[in-house]
């Protein structure tokens, strides 16, 4: 930054400094300026395909996965969108090397993925994938606050292709994403209930699933469904963080086979998410089964549960669903294996798919209704110790719906499918069951002391609704149950034990600022009349006006104050500023200030004196915040060859800090 002259100020002059600035004691003001880059457009599409944005290990990361037509070294390039100019990424754009390999049991090609790290909050970013000369289009996403409240959206089984018409299924899936994110544009995660496609390795179905641009703008938290597990396409398209891909988390116990698997976890702000491959439930098939998942959940919560306020589990096979799969033997087994552990570990919410219908359970504790008096459809529930809400999501694409089935006499706890005594049409475990044959999605509001769960209509009986277009019934009334209306809403209040929990929100501290002020009136520093010394030179002394330095920045970055002087001038007569020296002093301690070394007059050592920039004071990284005052004793020695006159010079103060 450069200083420019202006008229002399008659009072104190204050200077705030970011990376550097200059100012003067005698009549020089600082002019600061800079330009802003214009936002970007998108790059031209090239060979990378199937690009999808995924979750990272935390809110400051995102993963990106894509397919490539060649087996070449590739990467992600990313930069704040404001730094792109006319669609061009800046030279300093961050790059992340991709890894991957040849696609297995699909239509050929290669897969790549990489993780973007060190994202900053409240920032729009642009990114592209590929390599020089073969970049994808440029896509964008934005980060929000890395602390506090947020919303995420949960989507049940798109299962593209299950209607028999991929295009219609894609249209319904596209419309649900558009409806959901138009209504909730600040949602931060898209969470999957599994079954992205109908047939595991059919790339035309994956292409349709991946077609919506929203999947490149919002991170998709993938879940393996039973229709995804039978091939490697799921793993090739959807890389996930912190994933354990060892044998127990594969349905056949063999990660090297042509199947997908793995359990994973991530923390996003105040929520610990754990995602399970529920296809591995039967140890006799070679996988680790439910016992392996229970150990995984236990280990992750023991290691990371204290890092979040809420614990949310996601897996495909709904254990408390109301439709065709409610009485499946595998779900009844999980219904016995899972709930007690989830209650003991303090899980708050379980999100599931598979049954293509909506249900919200009562609070379930240890495999039973936690509170026998909890009423059906209650709008507010208090978890109590061990209470867990289980939600099953309906179809998000309209490709297939399952009709609600009737309870039986098999019991009202554990693996039973008996009727709810308070609402005999429902299963004992469900507070709400719904099927209208319209598309829906689930919105979860994460708040300081509650979770709000809503099931929201994203469609009506009208197209796009592939199952209904193919002849299935539909009983939605558009006038009374339009797009965006609620099927169900519940507020879940957590259990705080027998004591009282206290909470306070600490806002982001102001970054603070660094600057300097001339202490008091910015008057002329008058060195008086020089006195002749040793018959060969003149001497004059004085003191600069004190400089008050203030640093309130959280970064505690180093700072320095320096100065230099112009030549002394009286009309056409001059002499060099090198003849002025000084002895800096700290007049008032603070902000870690240390005085710089003395500088001799150039008359004494044939040096440059203050004609070049010399230090007045400084502080190192990590110094305390505060205010200091700096001063300096001036020593001017002038050769006796200088003509008589009243000479003036300007001392320019420079402040620097990172």
């Amino acid at each position: 930054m450069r200083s420019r002259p202006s008229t002399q100020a008659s009072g104190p002059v204050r200077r705030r400094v970011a990376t550097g600035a200059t100012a003067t004691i005698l009549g020089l003001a600082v002019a600061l300026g800079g330009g802003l880059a214009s936002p970007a457009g998108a790059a031209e599409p090239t060979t990378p395909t199937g690009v999808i944005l995924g979750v990272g290990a935390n809110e400051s990361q995102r993963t990106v996965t894509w397919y490539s037509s060649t087996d070449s070294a590739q990467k992600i390039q990313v930069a704040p969108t404001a730094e792109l100019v006319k669609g061009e990424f800046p030279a300093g754009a961050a790059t992340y090397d991709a890894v991957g390999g040849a696609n297995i049991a699909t239509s050929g090609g290669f897969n790549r993925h990489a993780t973007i790290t060190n994202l900053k909050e409240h920032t729009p970013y642009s990114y592209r994938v590929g390599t020089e000369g073969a970049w994808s289009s440029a896509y964008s996403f934005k980060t929000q606050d890395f602390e506090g409240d947020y919303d995420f959206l949960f989507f049940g089984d798109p299962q593209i292709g299950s209607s028999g018409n991929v295009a219609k299924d894609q249209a319904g899936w596209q419309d649900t994403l558009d409806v959901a994110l138009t209504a909730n544009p600040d949602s931060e995660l898209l969470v999957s209930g599994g079954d992205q496609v109908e047939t595991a390795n059919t790339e035309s179905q994956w292409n349709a699933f991946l077609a919506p641009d929203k999947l490149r703008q919002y991170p998709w938290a993938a879940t393996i469904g039973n229709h995804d597990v039978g091939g490697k396409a799921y793993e090739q398209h959807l890389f996930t963080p912190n994933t354990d891909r060892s044998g127990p988390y594969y349905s056949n116990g063999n990660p090297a086979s042509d199947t997908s698997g793995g359990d994973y976890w991530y923390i996003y702000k105040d929520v610990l998410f754990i995602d399970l491959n529920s296809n591995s439930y039967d140890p006799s098939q070679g996988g680790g089964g439910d016992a392996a998942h229970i150990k995984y959940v236990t280990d992750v919560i023991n290691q990371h549960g204290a890092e979040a306020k809420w614990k949310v589990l996601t897996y495909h096979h709904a254990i408390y669903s109301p439709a065709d799969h409610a009485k499946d033997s595998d779900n009844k087994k999980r219904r016995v294996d899972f709930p007690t552990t989830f209650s003991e570990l303090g899980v708050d919410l379980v999100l599931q798919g598979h049954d293509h219908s909506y249900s919200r359970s009562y609070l379930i504790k240890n495999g039973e209704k936690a509170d026998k008096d909890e009423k059906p459809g209650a709008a507010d529930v208090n978890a109590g110790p061990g209470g867990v809400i289980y939600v099953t999501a309906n179809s998000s694409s309209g490709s297939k719906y399952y009709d609600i089935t009737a309870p039986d006499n098999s019991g009202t706890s554990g693996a039973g499918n008996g009727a709810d005594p308070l609402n005999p049409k429902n299963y004992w475990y469900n507070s709400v069951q719904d099927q209208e044959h319209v598309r829906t999605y689930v919105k979860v509001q994460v708040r300081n002391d509650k979770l709000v769960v809503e099931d929201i209509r994203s469609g009506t009986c009208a197209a796009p609704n592939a199952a209904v277009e193919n002849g299935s019934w539909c009983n939605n009334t558009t006038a009374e149950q339009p797009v965006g209306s609620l099927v169900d809403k519940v507020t879940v209040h957590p259990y705080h034990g027998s004591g009282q929990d206290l909470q306070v929100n600490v806002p982001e501290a102001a970054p603070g600022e660094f600057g300097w002020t001339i202490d008091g009136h910015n008057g002329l520093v008058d060195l008086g009349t020089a006195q002749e010394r040793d018959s060969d030179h003149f001497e004059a002394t004085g003191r600069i006006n004190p400089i008050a330095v203030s640093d309130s920045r959280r970064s505690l970055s180093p700072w320095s104050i320096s100065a230099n002087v112009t030549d002394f001038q009286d009309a056409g007569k001059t002499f060099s500023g090198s003849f002025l020296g000084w002895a800096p002093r700290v007049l008032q301690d603070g902000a870690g200030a240390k005085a710089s070394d003395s500088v001799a007059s150039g008359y004494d050592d044939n040096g440059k004196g203050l004609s070049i920039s010399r230090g007045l004071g400084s502080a190192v990284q990590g110094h305390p915040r505060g205010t200091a005052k700096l001063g300096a004793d001036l020593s001017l020695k002038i050769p006796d060859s200088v003509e008589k006159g009243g000479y003036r010079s300007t001392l320019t103060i420079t402040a620097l800090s990172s």
Side-chain angles (χ1 to χ4, degrees):
M1 303 178 185
R2 296 186 180 274
S3 60
R4 297 185 183 276
S6 70
T7 57
Q8 179 173 335
S10 61
V13 179
R14 178 161 183 79
R15 300 289 179 258
R16 291 184 175 88
V17 180
T19 57
T22 62
T24 63
I25 290 178
L26 299 179
L28 199 63
V30 176
L32 302 178
L36 295 177
S38 58
E44 291 296 320
T46 56
T47 51
T49 59
V51 179
I52 183 169
L53 188 68
V55 293
N58 55 50
E59 60 277 353
S60 71
Q61 298 183 3
R62 301 288 188 274
T63 61
V64 184
T65 311
W66 67 95
Y67 272 16
S68 170
S69 58
T70 59
D71 190 14
S72 58
Q74 297 184 40
K75 57 192 174 184
I76 302 174
Q77 190 174 55
V78 61
T81 300
E83 295 182 7
L84 275 69
V85 178
K86 296 181 179 179
E88 293 298 321
F89 281 71
T95 59
Y96 300 87
D97 291 336
V99 297
N103 289 334
I104 298 173
T106 65
S107 56
F110 304 85
N111 62 84
R112 295 288 187 267
H113 67 265
T115 300
I116 302 169
T117 61
N118 299 315
L119 296 170
K120 306 301 182 185
E121 58 186 354
H122 303 296
T123 305
Y125 285 94
S126 292
Y127 70 97
R128 59 185 181 179
V129 303
T131 189
E132 294 296 336
W135 290 111
S136 70
S137 297
Y139 307 107
S140 63
F141 64 89
K142 66 177 180 179
T143 59
Q144 300 185 49
D145 201 308
F146 285 174
E147 297 288 343
D149 298 346
Y150 74 102
D151 300 341
F152 69 87
L153 306 180
F154 176 61
F155 298 91
D157 307 47
Q159 203 166 327
I160 304 299
S162 64
S163 74
N165 189 315
V166 169
K168 289 184 177 181
D169 295 349
Q170 177 184 333
W173 171 229
Q174 174 81 62
D175 194 56
T176 288
L177 287 175
D178 289 344
V179 165
L181 290 166
T182 298
N184 305 281
D186 292 328
S187 296
E188 300 191 32
L189 298 175
L190 310 181
V191 180
S192 164
D195 278 359
Q196 277 77 195
V197 297
E198 167 73 9
T199 310
N201 280 338
T202 300
E203 285 300 324
S204 60
Q205 296 173 8
W206 280 104
N207 291 340
F209 167 75
L210 294 167
D213 280 340
K214 295 293 191 294
L215 294 179
R216 284 162 283 286
Q217 300 168 11
Y218 294 83
W220 180 254
T223 298
I224 302 176
N226 59 298
H227 286 265
D228 305 315
V229 76
K232 283 297 186 187
Y234 172 90
E235 290 183 7
Q236 293 165 181
H237 279 296
L238 303 170
F239 185 78
T240 53
N242 299 324
T243 305
D244 190 332
R245 299 192 186 279
S246 55
Y249 310 114
Y250 282 74
S251 56
N252 60 5
N254 183 10
S257 66
D258 292 344
T259 61
S260 290
D263 289 359
Y264 74 98
W265 65 272
Y266 59 100
I267 294 178
Y268 195 91
K269 294 164 78 161
D270 285 333
V271 180
L272 170 61
F273 289 91
I274 304 176
D275 193 285
L276 307 177
N277 173 22
S278 56
N279 296 283
S280 173
Y281 83 98
D282 183 357
S284 69
Q285 301 300 311
D290 292 346
H293 297 308
I294 288 170
K295 183 179 185 304
Y296 183 84
V297 172
T298 301
D299 289 346
V300 171
I301 289 178
N302 285 341
Q303 293 169 23
H304 301 285
E307 301 171 30
K309 293 179 182 177
W310 304 96
K311 304 174 187 68
V312 175
L313 303 189
T314 308
Y315 53 83
H316 182 61
H317 295 81
I319 62 175
Y320 294 120
S321 65
D324 282 17
H325 291 303
K327 301 174 185 179
D328 288 356
S329 59
D330 58 333
N331 277 338
K332 294 175 74 171
K333 175 173 173 52
R334 296 182 192 92
R335 199 183 302 161
V336 173
D337 292 346
F338 283 163
T340 296
T341 297
F342 295 170
S343 292
E344 291 175 348
L345 290 172
V347 170
D348 298 290
L349 178 66
V350 179
L351 301 173
Q352 311 150 110
H354 192 49
D355 215 9
H356 297 246
S357 54
Y358 174 76
S359 66
R360 182 243 297 183
S361 78
Y362 291 110
L363 286 163
I364 303 295
K365 178 181 179 180
N366 301 337
E368 299 182 356
K369 187 178 178 182
D371 178 4
K372 302 300 182 186
D373 296 325
E374 182 186 338
K375 298 297 189 289
D380 282 84
V381 296
N382 293 280
V388 184
I389 293 283
Y390 295 76
V391 171
T392 307
N394 193 18
S395 171
S396 57
S397 67
S399 63
K400 179 167 62 176
Y401 305 105
Y402 289 142
D403 295 335
I404 291 174
T405 54
D408 55 30
N409 60 0
S410 60
T412 55
S413 65
N417 286 98
D420 176 11
L422 301 180
N423 187 6
K425 292 183 179 180
N426 283 15
Y427 289 102
W428 67 266
Y429 41 75
N430 277 338
S431 174
V432 176
Q433 301 177 173
D434 183 80
Q435 181 58 277
E436 300 169 7
H437 284 202
V438 300
R439 296 176 281 113
T440 68
Y441 66 94
V442 174
K443 175 181 177 180
V444 180
Q445 302 175 45
V446 180
R447 300 296 182 261
N448 277 338
D449 203 44
K450 62 185 178 183
L451 295 176
V452 182
V453 181
E454 300 170 292
D455 187 48
I456 303 172
R457 296 177 180 90
S458 58
T460 64
C461 295
N465 192 342
V468 174
E469 292 177 71
N470 286 344
S472 181
W473 62 268
C474 184
N475 65 4
N476 170 269
T477 303
T478 302
E480 298 176 0
Q481 301 164 317
V483 170
S485 59
L486 292 177
V487 174
D488 179 41
K489 179 178 180 178
V490 63
T491 299
V492 184
H493 302 277
Y495 178 64
H496 292 294
S498 58
Q500 296 187 34
D501 287 350
L502 302 178
Q503 177 168 317
V504 61
N505 291 329
V506 179
E508 182 73 24
E513 58 184 25
F514 168 74
W516 62 269
T517 302
I518 296 175
D519 187 44
H521 183 73
N522 186 23
L524 178 69
V525 179
D526 191 351
L527 303 183
T529 301
Q531 303 296 312
E532 188 174 11
R533 294 285 187 267
D534 300 330
S535 300
D536 62 358
H537 72 281
F538 299 94
E539 292 186 8
T541 60
R543 292 177 178 175
I544 68 170
N545 295 319
I547 306 297
V549 179
S550 177
D551 193 354
S552 60
R553 298 170 300 167
R554 298 180 69 196
S555 62
L556 306 180
S557 297
W559 59 262
S560 65
I561 302 289
S562 58
N564 65 285
V565 70
T566 63
D567 286 348
F568 287 78
Q569 185 170 1
D570 177 14
K573 299 176 290 187
T574 64
F575 65 84
S576 174
S578 65
F579 294 131
L580 182 65
W582 70 3
R585 296 186 294 145
V586 175
L587 305 178
Q588 175 184 309
D589 288 334
K594 301 292 183 185
S596 299
D597 293 337
S598 295
V599 176
S601 165
Y603 182 85
D604 291 331
D605 62 3
N606 293 317
K608 300 288 188 181
L610 291 184
S611 67
I612 62 175
S613 182
R614 303 288 192 174
L616 177 63
S618 62
V620 298
Q621 174 68 44
H623 63 80
R625 286 179 277 184
T627 300
K629 288 185 181 179
L630 303 176
D633 297 328
L634 299 174
S635 174
L636 179 62
K637 295 184 178 182
I638 312 165
D640 62 4
S641 59
V642 173
E643 297 182 54
K644 177 183 177 180
Y647 292 83
R648 285 197 180 186
S649 177
T650 299
L651 184 73
T652 301
I653 306 297
T654 302
L656 294 174
S657 181
S658 55

